[in-house]
Amino acid sequence: MESSSTYENGLNLKATELRLGLPGTTDEETAVPCVRNNKRPLQEDAAAADEKCGANGKSESQNETAPPSKAQIVGWPPVQSYRKNNLQAKKHETEAGIYVKVSMDGAPYLRKIDLRVYKGYPQLLQALENMFKFTAGEYSEREGYKGSDYAPTYEDKDGDWMLVGDVPWQMFITSCKRLRIMKASEARGLGCGTV
Amino acid sequence: MFWGSRKTIDMNYFPDEVLEHVFDFITSHKDRNSVSLVCKSWYKIEKYSRQRVFLGNCYSISPERLIARFPGLKSLTLKGKPHFADFNLVPDDWGGFLYPWIKAMAKSRIGLEELRLKRMVVSDESLELLSESFPNFKSLVLVSCEGFTTDGLAAIAANCRFLRELDLQENEVEDHRGHWLSCFPESCTSLVSLNFACLKGEINLASLERLVARSPNLKSLRLNRAVPFDTLQRLLIRAPQLVDLGTGSYVHDPSSEAYNKLKAAIQNCNSIRSLSGFLEVAPCCMSAIYPICENLTFLNLSYAAGLQSNELTKLIHHCRKLQRLWILDCIGDKGLGVVASTCKELQELRVFPSDPFDAGNAAVTEEGLVLISAGCPKLNSLLYFCQQMTNAALITVAKNCTNFIRFRLCILDPIKPDPVTNQPLDEGFGAIVRSCKGLKRLSLSGLLTDQVFYYIGMYAKKLEMLSIAFAGNSDKGMLYVLNGCKKLRKLEIRDCPFGDTALLEDMGKYETMRSLWMSTCEVTLGACKVLAKKMPSLNVEIINGSEQTEFNLDDRQKVDKMYLYRTLVGHRKDAPEFVWLL
C-alpha cells in the first residue's frame, strides 16, 4: 500500500509537512502520519527540561527537519510521572561522577579525575600513569608498589593516607577524598612493615 | 413439592431471602447488572443486596444517586482522571475529588467497609471524614492519587479500629513526617496488608516494628526507602508468615553480621510469593534472597535502578515459578533470553525504560520480545518499552503467543518504522489482532497508517481499550475502529490526523463507551459543540492549555484536548476555569 520511496533517501519530509487540507484528504497515495509539531508551541515537559535537551534520540530516517527531539514531546514516552520522578532521582544518585583531585609530588599543578569512569585499579593506575608520565610499578599486598619511584596514595574519609589498592574497588571509590602520587621514599612507611 | 403439573419452576414463588442467597453467588458486576434487568422484583432484591460497586468514571453518576440505587453499599471502587493524566496531559485540578462521595455516604450512614480509588484527588479532609464516619471501615487502596499528606494517613491509622488494609500505590503524598505510623493504637491488631512504599519521608522505625509484631495476620508488607536494611531483618523475624514483601532500602555490607542475620531471617519466610521494592540496592546483597526466589510468582524490580543486567539474570535463574515480572530495560535482550528459558510459567511481563527521558537509549529491541514469546507460551499480558520493533518480530510473536489479553508496545521514537524494511508497522500489529482473539487492551506505537486501524476494526472484536499516538493518515483510521470494535469502552488518541468527520459519524457509539479522549488531533470546536448538543447523555469537555485563557469563539478553531464520557447526571459542578463543558 505504501511505496517505500518516501523513506529510502532518509529525509522523510512528509512526516514534518504542514498540512492545511481538510482532514481525511491526502495529496498523494503515500500519505504518512501528520506529526503536528509545528502548529502549536510545545510545552516542555517540566521534568524533561532538567535533562540535557541535546539528547538526540533521532533515528536514521530523520534529518534536521525531523520532529523535535524526544525531550520536548509532552507526555512521551508514556511513562507514569510518578515512575519518571522516582527513577530520575535514583539515576542521579547512582551515576553522579566522583571527582577527586590528584596531586603528584613535584608537579606544578593538580588534576581532577572522575573515579566512576574506571572499572578497577588497573584502569585507574593506567590513567594516572598517562596523566603524570610515570610508572607505578608492581602492586603486591605485602610490599606495596615495587620498582617505581612513586606510589599512589589516597586520603580516606577518616583523613588517613592509605596506599591505593588495598581495599575492594567499590569501597575505595566511595571512601576516597583525594589522590596523591607520593615519592617512593616518603611512601616507604605505608603498606609493608606495618602490621 | 410445589410443582404439581407445572413444567417450569416459578422463581417468584421463592421468598426474597432465597433469591438473595442465590444472588450472593453472582459476584461479577456485569452479571449483577444483568440480574437487575430481569424484572422488578429481581431489581429490588438485587438493589438491596448489592454490596460491591465499581464506577469506572466517577462523573458518570452522582454520589446521591448511587446511594439511592444501592443503599447496602459496602465496597466502592472509583476512578477519576482520564488515563492520559498519568503522562501530564491533564492539568492539575481538573477534577476527580473524593470529598463529595465521602460526605454523601457519611450523611446517608452507608456502612462503607472498603474504598478503592484510582487517579482521584484525595484531601486530608476527606480521609479524616472517612475515618470518623464508617465504624466498620476495613480497607483503603489508593492508586495514583494525590492531594493528601501523612496527616490524612494519621487519621486513618488512629480512627479505623478494624483496619485490615492500607495500600498506597504510586501516590504523590506530601510527607509531613508526623509519625503517622505511631497513630495506630496498641489495640490495632487486625492489619493484613500495609503498603507505604510511595512515601518519601522518614518513618518511626520503632513504631513500625511494634505494629508488625502485633499484627499476626499481616500477609503483605511494602516498605519505603526510609526503612533500612537492619530494620528489614528485624521485621522479617517478626513476620515470617508474609506472602508479599516490598523491601525499602536494600544496601549493606555483605560481610557484616546484619547481612547474615537477614539471610537467616529470609530463609524462614517460606510463604513469600511476591517480592518488590529494592528502591535503593547494593547488587552484592542480592544473593540473600535467592532462597525465596524458587517460590516467587511475582517479582517487581522496576524501581531497582542499581541492578545491572548480569545481576538481574543471576537472580532470574532462581525464579522458575515466576508468573509476573516487572523489570527495567537494562536487563537487555540477552537477559530477556534468560527469562524466556527460565520462567516457563510467565503470564505477564512489563519492561520499563530505565531512562525515560533519553529516548535514544532503550536497551531492549524486538529480539528480546521474540525470545520471550518463544519461551513463554502462557504470556497474556505485555507492556514493553523498546528501542525498535519489526513487522517480522511482531508476526513471530503473534504466532507464538495467541493468548494476549493486554498488548502494550511503546517504541520510544513515536513514529519509527520497521528499521529493517522501513515500512510502517501495520502488518505486525495486524498479525497480533488477528491471532489474539481474546485481546482486550491494545496500545500502539511506531510508524502506522490507516491500514493498522483497518485490521483492528476487522479482527479485534473483543477489544475494550485502545491507545493511539502519532498514528494514521485520515479519518478513515478512526472510523475503522469505531465501526468495527463493538466492545470498545475506552478510546484515547493523541497527535493523530482524525477530525470532525470521524468524530461525528456515529455519535450514538459513544453512549456504548465509557469515554473518548482526543488531544492534538484535527477536531474543531464547532464539531464538539454539535456533538454535545445532539447527545445530552454525554459530557463533552474541552480542556485548555495554559496559553489559552480566553474563550475563543471561533468554531473552526482546533481543540487542544477533548474528553467526552457518558453520564447520567449531566454537567459536573466542580469543573475548573480551564475546562469548558459544552
Side-chain angles (χ1 to χ4, degrees):
Chain A
M1 187 178 169
E2 307 286 338
S3 89
S4 56
S5 61
T6 325
Y7 312 106
E8 260 167 15
N9 57 8
L11 286 180
N12 202 9
L13 292 172
K14 255 292 183 206
T16 59
E17 186 188 284
L18 267 181
R19 298 178 71 228
L20 298 178
L22 292 171
T25 61
T26 60
D27 297 322
E28 4 167 325
E29 63 278 14
T30 58
V32 300
C34 166
V35 179
R36 289 175 55 229
N37 47 26
N38 291 324
K39 288 202 170 158
R40 303 232 166 82
L42 284 175
Q43 301 145 24
E44 256 187 74
D45 193 40
D50 293 337
E51 296 291 309
K52 304 171 290 205
C53 282
N56 189 338
K58 294 176 190 171
S59 64
E60 293 297 297
S61 61
Q62 296 166 350
N63 65 358
E64 66 274 5
T65 60
S69 76
K70 311 308 162 289
Q72 289 175 30
I73 302 181
V74 177
W76 192 269
V79 176
Q80 220 189 357
S81 44
Y82 173 89
R83 186 173 282 282
K84 264 190 182 158
N85 295 337
N86 280 273
L87 266 181
Q88 185 187 20
K90 282 201 292 284
K91 189 178 187 309
H92 287 152
E93 275 171 38
T94 56
E95 294 192 16
I98 301 178
Y99 282 89
V100 295
K101 289 183 189 170
V102 189
S103 63
M104 175 150 151
D105 292 355
Y109 54 81
L110 282 63
R111 302 299 302 270
K112 218 161 195 186
I113 58 173
D114 176 4
L115 293 178
R116 282 234 189 261
V117 163
Y118 309 107
K119 293 201 168 38
Y121 287 117
Q123 289 93 342
L124 172 65
L125 292 168
Q126 180 85 65
L128 291 175
E129 287 176 334
N130 290 341
M131 204 180 256
F132 291 97
K133 308 282 180 286
F134 76 106
T135 46
E138 284 282 322
Y139 170 79
S140 71
E141 232 182 68
R142 253 178 23 94
E143 297 181 14
Y145 289 88
K146 237 172 55 154
S148 166
D149 291 334
Y150 295 94
T153 66
Y154 70 101
E155 185 184 16
D156 73 359
K157 279 188 176 148
D158 297 331
D160 298 319
W161 285 94
M162 319 283 293
L163 189 70
V164 169
D166 286 338
V167 302
W169 175 253
Q170 281 298 323
M171 201 182 286
F172 165 71
I173 62 174
T174 51
S175 56
C176 171
K177 276 176 33 188
R178 52 189 299 171
L179 281 157
R180 177 180 162 201
I181 301 170
M182 212 179 259
K183 271 210 152 66
S185 42
E186 271 191 72
R188 243 357 70 78
L190 298 168
C192 68
T194 61
V195 173
Chain B
M1 299 181 282
F2 308 106
W3 302 346
S5 59
R6 282 199 197 138
K7 295 215 168 92
T8 57
I9 301 171
D10 184 352
M11 283 290 283
N12 287 326
Y13 203 87
F14 294 124
D16 287 359
E17 295 79 34
V18 173
L19 279 176
E20 210 181 290
H21 183 62
V22 171
F23 292 169
D24 270 349
F25 292 98
I26 302 171
T27 49
S28 119
H29 292 292
K30 286 201 182 105
D31 291 341
R32 288 202 72 115
N33 291 344
S34 304
V35 159
S36 64
L37 292 174
V38 168
C39 63
K40 278 198 182 130
S41 126
W42 280 37
Y43 174 92
K44 196 175 123 216
I45 297 167
E46 201 280 322
K47 164 184 171 134
Y48 288 103
S49 65
R50 174 88 82 124
Q51 293 182 350
R52 315 182 69 85
V53 173
F54 169 86
L55 284 182
N57 175 5
C58 64
Y59 289 118
S60 58
I61 194 171
S62 69
E64 293 72 24
R65 273 184 70 165
L66 178 72
I67 292 165
R69 177 77 177 81
F70 297 118
L73 185 61
K74 289 209 174 119
S75 163
L76 179 60
T77 303
L78 282 175
K79 292 193 183 179
K81 298 186 195 179
H83 176 230
F84 276 0
D86 279 352
F87 317 131
N88 294 332
L89 288 178
V90 177
D92 291 343
D93 304 330
W94 169 85
F97 304 106
L98 174 65
Y99 189 78
W101 294 88
I102 303 293
K103 185 157 164 226
M105 287 190 286
K107 187 159 168 224
S108 301
R109 299 181 189 280
I110 292 288
L112 193 69
E113 293 184 14
E114 192 178 286
L115 188 63
R116 312 169 87 81
L117 305 175
K118 190 165 188 182
R119 281 191 286 270
M120 300 274 300
V121 177
V122 177
S123 60
D124 281 346
E125 204 187 4
S126 53
L127 289 177
E128 280 151 18
L129 184 58
L130 166 69
S131 73
E132 290 156 7
S133 310
F134 309 114
N136 275 336
F137 193 75
K138 295 193 173 73
S139 168
L140 182 64
V141 180
L142 302 178
V143 179
S144 300
C145 296
E146 49 166 1
F148 61 104
T149 76
T150 45
D151 294 344
L153 297 178
I156 298 286
N159 302 331
C160 299
R161 296 194 305 141
F162 302 112
L163 195 69
R164 285 202 207 140
E165 180 174 22
L166 179 61
D167 185 358
L168 308 171
Q169 298 176 32
E170 297 176 337
N171 303 289
E172 296 290 350
V173 186
E174 207 179 289
D175 207 316
H176 290 170
R177 292 156 204 231
H179 300 288
W180 63 277
L181 256 182
S182 318
C183 294
F184 281 105
E186 288 302 311
S187 55
C188 174
T189 58
S190 47
L191 273 181
V192 174
S193 166
L194 178 63
N195 172 6
F196 58 92
C198 62
L199 295 185
K200 300 206 172 66
E202 295 303 312
I203 285 287
N204 187 326
L205 299 176
S207 290
L208 176 62
E209 286 185 47
R210 282 198 303 272
L211 180 62
V212 170
R214 66 177 185 276
S215 303
N217 298 321
L218 194 67
K219 292 280 188 295
S220 169
L221 179 64
R222 297 193 185 186
L223 311 167
N224 76 345
R225 278 176 106 162
V227 180
F229 197 87
D230 37 6
T231 306
L232 172 64
Q233 176 256 317
R234 284 197 290 277
L235 292 171
L236 290 178
I237 300 232
R238 297 192 186 282
Q241 77 283 4
L242 282 179
V243 171
D244 168 26
L245 172 67
T247 69
S249 166
Y250 196 78
V251 176
H252 217 280
D253 177 358
S255 60
S256 68
E257 186 53 33
Y259 183 77
N260 290 328
K261 280 194 190 161
L262 182 88
K263 269 175 87 163
I266 287 192
Q267 278 183 316
N268 222 11
C269 296
N270 37 30
S271 299
I272 293 183
R273 297 288 174 269
S274 162
L275 187 61
S276 61
F278 303 98
L279 308 172
E280 248 171 25
V281 57
C284 46
C285 296
M286 292 308 281
S287 55
I289 64 165
Y290 291 170
I292 52 168
C293 287
E294 256 178 55
N295 290 320
L296 284 183
T297 55
F298 176 39
L299 179 61
N300 180 358
L301 295 174
S302 63
Y303 287 101
L307 294 176
Q308 301 306 314
S309 178
N310 54 337
E311 287 130 12
L312 291 170
T313 48
K314 261 199 283 188
L315 186 65
I316 301 275
H317 269 303
H318 297 263
C319 302
R320 306 206 145 261
K321 294 205 187 133
L322 218 52
Q323 292 173 17
R324 297 166 62 209
L325 176 63
W326 294 19
I327 203 141
L328 290 172
D329 66 1
C330 45
I331 190 171
D333 289 329
K334 287 211 176 61
L336 288 176
V338 174
V339 174
S341 50
T342 312
C343 308
K344 295 304 184 186
E345 302 298 313
L346 199 68
Q347 293 174 30
E348 175 179 327
L349 175 67
R350 298 194 190 192
V351 180
F352 294 96
S354 41
D355 188 355
F357 296 101
D358 188 358
N361 266 342
V364 296
T365 69
E366 76 277 9
E367 290 180 19
L369 185 59
V370 169
L371 288 171
I372 290 282
S373 73
C376 308
K378 293 188 183 176
L379 198 65
N380 61 40
S381 175
L382 180 75
L383 172 61
Y384 195 73
F385 286 84
C386 58
Q387 178 72 356
Q388 62 184 45
M389 185 53 57
T390 64
N391 283 309
L394 284 174
I395 291 168
T396 305
V397 169
K399 272 206 206 83
N400 292 339
C401 293
T402 57
N403 296 323
F404 277 116
I405 299 173
R406 271 169 247 112
F407 191 88
R408 293 153 71 189
L409 187 71
C410 180
I411 302 164
L412 289 182
D413 179 344
I415 52 168
K416 194 178 170 107
D418 179 328
V420 172
T421 63
N422 257 331
Q423 292 299 304
L425 291 175
D426 303 334
E427 297 306 312
F429 280 106
I432 294 285
V433 295
R434 225 180 346 253
S435 157
C436 303
K437 310 222 187 298
L439 193 68
K440 286 192 180 169
R441 183 171 180 182
L442 178 63
S443 298
L444 308 170
S445 61
L447 186 65
L448 295 164
T449 73
D450 285 346
Q451 184 68 14
V452 73
F453 300 112
Y454 173 80
Y455 291 138
I456 291 172
M458 173 81 74
Y459 296 112
K461 290 308 180 188
K462 297 253 168 77
L463 195 66
E464 295 180 8
M465 181 171 178
L466 179 62
S467 309
I468 311 171
F470 303 101
N473 310 117
S474 72
D475 282 340
K476 282 198 285 188
M478 185 167 164
L479 287 171
Y480 288 140
V481 172
L482 290 175
N483 293 332
C485 299
K486 304 292 182 202
K487 300 256 169 147
L488 195 64
R489 293 191 295 119
K490 286 183 282 182
L491 180 58
E492 46 186 26
I493 305 172
R494 64 163 294 179
D495 293 89
C496 294
F498 304 143
D500 297 345
T501 310
L503 181 70
L504 298 179
E505 164 112 349
D506 178 8
M507 293 188 261
K509 170 79 176 172
Y510 306 126
E511 278 181 332
T512 70
M513 291 167 56
R514 183 187 297 172
S515 64
L516 168 67
W517 168 282
M518 291 182 77
S519 59
T520 326
C521 295
E522 306 276 336
V523 168
T524 66
L525 181 58
C528 295
K529 284 182 179 171
V530 166
L531 182 55
K533 185 143 187 240
K534 292 240 165 84
M535 304 292 298
S537 57
L538 301 177
N539 274 354
V540 180
E541 298 190 2
I542 307 296
I543 299 165
N544 290 302
S546 49
E547 71 265 14
Q548 285 180 284
T549 47
E550 282 172 23
F551 195 142
N552 187 335
L553 293 166
D554 187 347
D555 281 359
R556 291 164 301 172
Q557 170 89 0
K558 302 234 167 76
V559 300
D560 198 22
K561 294 169 185 162
M562 180 205 71
Y563 180 55
L564 67 82
Y565 50 90
R566 67 180 173 193
T567 177
L568 293 174
V569 289
H571 284 180
R572 58 186 174 112
K573 308 284 185 296
D574 62 1
E577 258 181 21
F578 55 81
V579 173
W580 303 335
L581 294 153
L582 298 181

